[in-house]
């Protein structure tokens, strides 16, 4: 068995497996260590992929229940097999983890199962559940150990009634009621999954807006849309405690007027952010340092205080997103290879997979105001889009922020059908510093959702919309 490598990657999430594949493609003898028996990390097993599988299943159910009749489709009595939804989700995850096994074999990457712990900057010990271990050496290491859910004082996650997204994705039966602490990305995606199948969902959010880090117009519109699906939303709330009563949970919180209120539900889902994961990694045996939030400190080349050890993904600073981790995986492999890769962190898009979807890239209006940067805004509602009307998808808008002098695109914020895919156009436009005029003078197929972007560019340029 080989125990000496050019590059050992620790963690097999989207950061780790991409780093390993790119390293192998560049000719390095590569190994990847994963403590779980399956590859893929948070994203594949308990994050991006299973949530999207359940979001799709529940959206089909909701569409059948709320829109089919208007389309002239009768289905008889609509039924829901919750367990089948969970089984299909498991199958989708399985297809993705199988795909990763195939990719590791194809690229001749050695997969090592067990928990990696640094002995020093050149050697790790990998220990299995039965306490057997093997030591491995490498010229370079890439730490991609990801993140775990965090909680707030007074709320202890017990994984039975007080749960995280991980448990919520594998419940054995459909709950009747659920309280979600946190109206960020996980909070609103989970609220969508459960509300669509008839669970009474209440969101308690600390900030005065849902998805508060995104452009404020998006949170406002999303709140209205979720409320129309019967999600109860309370903003500016301070949660004090959650108590497991055996077959329910009681959550105490205070509202804006400092009144203490209590709500009881079948489950309390805690979605207040995630924290970097470095437990048991033996960083104390290296020079690697953590910042105040527990993230591994790296330089701009993603190198830690040890010259030969890099860190990527959720375990370092920046957005906790799969595609950010993937980009960094490629970045470190190419950096080790002596290349000069580049990541434009300002142009990493954010997507929330509610329906309609929310997607964003570049500056928000608040950020432009804070920087005293002049901008003009062009906002086009999907209710004025012929494509959206044909599809009964009239909620939301596309908003473009641009520089008033040259028309350079500064930000794009969409809430509407297929926003997750539309946002790619904004990323390309901003990366290559195109202007409003460049974007509205190109041809857009009719009728498409992308025409909403053309209209937003036209409005943002000052020329004015054709369709409103
Ligand atoms: P991870 O995916 O967390 O992988 C780290 C891996 O390292 C894990 O498998 C862990 O077991 C392993 N590991 C840790 N320590 C050790 C050790 N000492 N030895 C060996 N192995 C170790 N992002 C998106 O971009 N789009 C989405 O739609 C999206 N949806 C999400 C939904 C949910 C519910 C959640 C929780 C997250 C979602 N994310 C999404 C975020 C995304 O999952 C993360 O940003 C991404 O997984 C980070 O990748 P990573 O490689 O840094 O770490
Ligand atoms: P988040 O940071 O998106 O949201 C956490 C929310 O909890 C915030 O709105 C915050 O104001 C709120 N909050 C914090 N303390 C609170 C308190 N005491 N009471 C009430 N609310 C409180 O984090 P998340 O939703 O847990 O997601 C974690 C990470 O996973 C995010 O960084 C996100 O990028 C990633 N993720 C991404 C996707 C996606 O890309 N579609 C999906 C899910 C998760």
């Amino acid at each position: 068995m080989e125990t000496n490598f050019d590059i050992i990657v620790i963690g097999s999430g989207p950061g780790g497996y991409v780093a390993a594949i790119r390293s192998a493609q560049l000719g390095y003898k590569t190994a990847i260590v994963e403590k779980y028996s399956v590859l893929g990390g948070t994203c594949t097993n308990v994050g991006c992929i299973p949530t999207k599988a359940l979001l799709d299943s529940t959206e089909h159910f909701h569409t059948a229940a709320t829109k089919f009749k208007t389309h002239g489709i009768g289905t008889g009595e609509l039924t829901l097999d919750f367990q089948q939804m969970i089984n299909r989700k498991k199958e989708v995850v399985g297809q993705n983890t199988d795909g990763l096994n195939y990719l590791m074999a194809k690229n001749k990457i050695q997969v090592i199962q067990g928990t990696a712990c640094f002995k020093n900057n050149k050697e790790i010990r990998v220990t299995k559940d039965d306490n057997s271990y093997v030591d491995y050496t490498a010229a370079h290491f890439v730490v991609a150990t990801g993140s775990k859910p965090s909680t707030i004082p007074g709320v202890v996650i017990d994984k039975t009634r007080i749960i995280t997204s991980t448990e919520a994705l594998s419940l054995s039966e459909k709950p009747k009621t659920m309280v979600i602490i946190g109206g960020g990305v996980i909070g609103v995606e989970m609220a969508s999954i459960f509300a669509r199948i008839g669970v009474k969902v209440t969101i308690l959010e600390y900030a005065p807006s849902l998805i508060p880090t995104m452009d404020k117009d998006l949170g406002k519109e999303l709140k209205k849309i979720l409320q129309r699906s019967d999600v109860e939303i309370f903003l500016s709330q301070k949660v004090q405690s959650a108590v497991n009563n055996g077959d329910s949970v009681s959550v105490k919180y205070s509202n804006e007027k400092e009144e203490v209120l209590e709500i009881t539900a079948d489950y309390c889902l805690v979605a207040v952010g995630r924290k970097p994961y470095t437990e048991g990694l033996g960083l104390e045996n290296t020079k690697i340092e953590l910042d105040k939030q527990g993230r591994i400190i790296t330089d701009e080349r993603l190198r830690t205080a040890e010259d030969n050890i890099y860190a990527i993904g959720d375990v370092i600073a920046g957005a906790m997103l799969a595609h950010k981790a993937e980009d960094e995986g490629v970045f470190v492999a190419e950096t080790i290879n002596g290349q000069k890769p580049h990541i434009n962190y300002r142009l990493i898009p954010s997507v929330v997979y509610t329906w309609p979807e929310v997607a964003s890239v570049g500056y928000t209006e608040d950020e432009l105001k804070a920087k005293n940067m002049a901008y003009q805004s062009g906002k086009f509602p999907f209710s004025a889009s012929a494509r959206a009307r044909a599809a009964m998808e009239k909620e939301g808008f596309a908003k473009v922020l641009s520089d008033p002098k040259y028309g350079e695109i500064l930000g794009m914020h969409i809430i509407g059908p297929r926003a997750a895919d539309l946002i790619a156009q904004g990323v390309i436009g901003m990366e290559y510093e195109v202007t409003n005029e460049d974007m509205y003078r190109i041809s857009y197929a009719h009728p498409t959702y992308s025409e909403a972007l053309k209209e937003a560019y036209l409005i943002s340029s000052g020329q004015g919309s054709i369709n409103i």
Side-chain angles (χ1 to χ4, degrees), residues 52 152 181-187 189 204-207 212 237 239 271-274 320-321 351-353:
K52 269 79 257 180
I152 51 174
I181 307 178
V185 197
I186 293 183
E189 288 188 0
L204 300 175
E205 163 60 48
Y206 182 74
Q237 308 294 312
V239 172
V272 295
R274 293 176 60 88
M320 287 186 168
L321 293 173
V351 173
V352 187
Y353 294 83

Side-chain angles (χ1 to χ4, degrees), residues 37-52:
S37 56
V38 284
L39 300 176
T42 304
C43 178
T44 310
N45 295 289
V46 291
C48 328
I49 304 304
T51 45
K52 269 79 257 180

Side-chain angles (χ1 to χ4, degrees), residues 330-408:
V330 171
F331 182 98
V332 290
E334 294 183 352
T335 299
I336 291 169
N337 190 239
Q339 301 180 33
K340 296 266 179 290
H342 172 69
I343 295 176
N344 188 345
Y345 282 97
R346 201 170 62 75
L347 296 187
I348 292 176
S350 297
V351 173
V352 187
Y353 294 83
T354 46
W355 194 264
E357 294 166 338
V358 184
S360 193
V361 65
Y363 291 115
T364 63
E365 286 204 50
D366 282 350
E367 285 169 346
L368 290 171
K369 281 177 196 152
K371 282 179 174 289
N372 273 327
M373 281 170 72
Y375 67 94
Q376 46 198 11
S377 170
K379 197 169 168 184
F380 183 81
F382 279 99
S383 57
S385 148
R387 181 71 190 90
R389 282 196 292 258
M392 282 179 74
E393 298 292 358
K394 295 188 294 182
E395 289 175 317
F397 57 80
K399 179 163 98 172
V400 167
L401 305 174
S402 65
D403 157 58
K405 195 165 175 198
Y406 301 108
E408 187 183 335

Side-chain angles (χ1 to χ4, degrees), residues 13-14 36 38-56 89-90 92-93 96-97 147-149 164-170 185-186 189-190 193 274 314 320-323 351 353:
Y36 290 121
V38 284
L39 300 176
T42 304
C43 178
T44 310
N45 295 289
V46 291
C48 328
I49 304 304
T51 45
K52 269 79 257 180
L54 287 181
L55 279 158
D56 280 341
K89 176 221 70 172
K90 274 190 206 149
V92 173
V93 170
N96 282 276
T97 51
S147 62
K148 292 278 176 208
T164 70
S165 50
T166 302
E167 294 76 46
L169 289 166
S170 293
V185 197
I186 293 183
E189 288 188 0
M190 288 291 165
I193 289 175
R274 293 176 60 88
D314 281 11
M320 287 186 168
L321 293 173
H323 43 288
V351 173
Y353 294 83

